[in-house]
Amino acid sequence: MQTDHGLEVVRIALIGAGRIGTMHAGNIARRVPAAELRTVADPRLDAAQQVAALYDATATADVDDVFKDPDIHAVAITSIAAAHADLIEKAAEAGKAVFCEKPAGLTMAEIDRAVAATERAGVPFQVGFNRRFAKDFAAAYRTIRDGGIGTPQLMRSITRDPGRADGVVRAANVKPWTIFRETLIHDFDTLLWLNEGAEPIEVYTRADTLVAPQYKEKGLIDTAVVMVTFDNGAIATAEANFSALYGYDVRGEVFGSKGMVTAGRHGSTPMLQYSEDGIQQRTLRSDEEMFADAYVQELCDFTDAIRTNGTPPVTGADARRALRLALAAMKSHQEHRPVKPEEIA
């Protein structure tokens, strides 16, 4: 590898030039030390070319070009979720380190196949659970780990995506089960991470289509609350909604025998405006705004794992545990009953 200020340069190909992919491309090219965005791949060649042109990278509509290129060390998979497992497997077989946005698969069979491929190839594999890399969530984790709140008793994780007064943004395009496998999966990972060493023993879901009821027959669920009971006694709730008119709302809370920690914020700046209308604050409007530094840090840790041949901080096993909770929550919703995670094979 060539070096950049003493660090070996990691050449990365981006697979998927959508919103998240475009954001990751900029971070790889400009904010991750000694990382190089080598190629952007997307079946929509024009989309790949548009992103690649920003960072002097090459573009291709054929993902196999990435896997065949010996100069590419790693891939960042930001495609549609349904393609993740296949792409992980192909990348691993080509000897590329893999960073994949969540979820790493949509079924247990998919994720097991993907994880097994990375293990056979011996390549680093990291999944993009960004909250672990946010400073406030990371500080909460360390406090809990060090005994600062005693034994966790009540836990809460919230994801409320920005909405608008007339309903869910692009509701017709939201695929069935998105709220569990692509939204709440962040909350499930957060709860598992913050309650380290404990195992979930029961999952119960209440969910409905409250914001855009006209799409209910198409499988849209836009509002959900999931209760997770752990074997250390902790009772957790994960909730999601697709229509927070006031902005992007992601928070976590762990209450324990010796105290409590919270993480997450509403304001995009600490500034408060005082006027005849009251006190106002500008709120965060996107994940890119709230987790800007976390998105960079997760890729920094990924490239460090490649250089040291180490284990990335979020592994395939972590992705599997979170997906299992998501699938248990789905089953609970379908069957209107509590579900034990071991029911999900």
Side-chain angles (χ1 to χ4, degrees), residues 257-304:
S257 57
K258 295 181 180 179
M260 181 176 73
V261 292
T262 64
R265 68 191 194 281
H266 290 115
S268 61
T269 169
M271 189 272 286
L272 299 175
Q273 179 183 352
Y274 295 75
S275 70
E276 62 182 356
D277 296 323
I279 302 173
Q280 299 176 342
Q281 183 178 38
R282 178 175 173 77
T283 57
L284 295 158
R285 294 286 160 167
S286 71
D287 56 336
E288 295 175 54
E289 190 176 10
M290 176 174 280
F291 294 113
D293 292 339
Y295 279 126
V296 174
Q297 189 60 53
E298 65 181 358
L299 287 169
C300 289
D301 287 5
F302 174 60
T303 55
D304 284 345

Side-chain angles (χ1 to χ4, degrees), residues 102-138:
K102 53 75 197 167
L106 295 179
T107 67
M108 297 307 291
E110 284 188 3
I111 202 166
D112 285 346
R113 175 165 49 85
V115 171
T118 62
E119 290 176 346
R120 282 195 307 271
V123 296
F125 174 38
Q126 181 173 327
V127 181
F129 286 127
N130 53 35
R131 292 179 205 185
R132 295 188 182 217
F133 301 89
K135 292 179 180 179
D136 50 353
F137 280 89

Side-chain angles (χ1 to χ4, degrees), residues 153-156 191 226-230 234-238:
Q153 297 174 347
L154 295 172
M155 305 179 67
R156 189 182 188 197
L191 294 172
V226 181
M227 185 171 76
V228 182
T229 305
F230 287 88
I235 301 171
T237 57

Side-chain angles (χ1 to χ4, degrees), residues 199-203 228-234 325 339-342:
E199 289 296 327
I201 57 175
E202 186 178 88
V203 177
V228 182
T229 305
F230 287 88
D231 63 3
N232 67 342
L325 278 189
V339 170
K340 296 184 183 302
E342 58 262 32

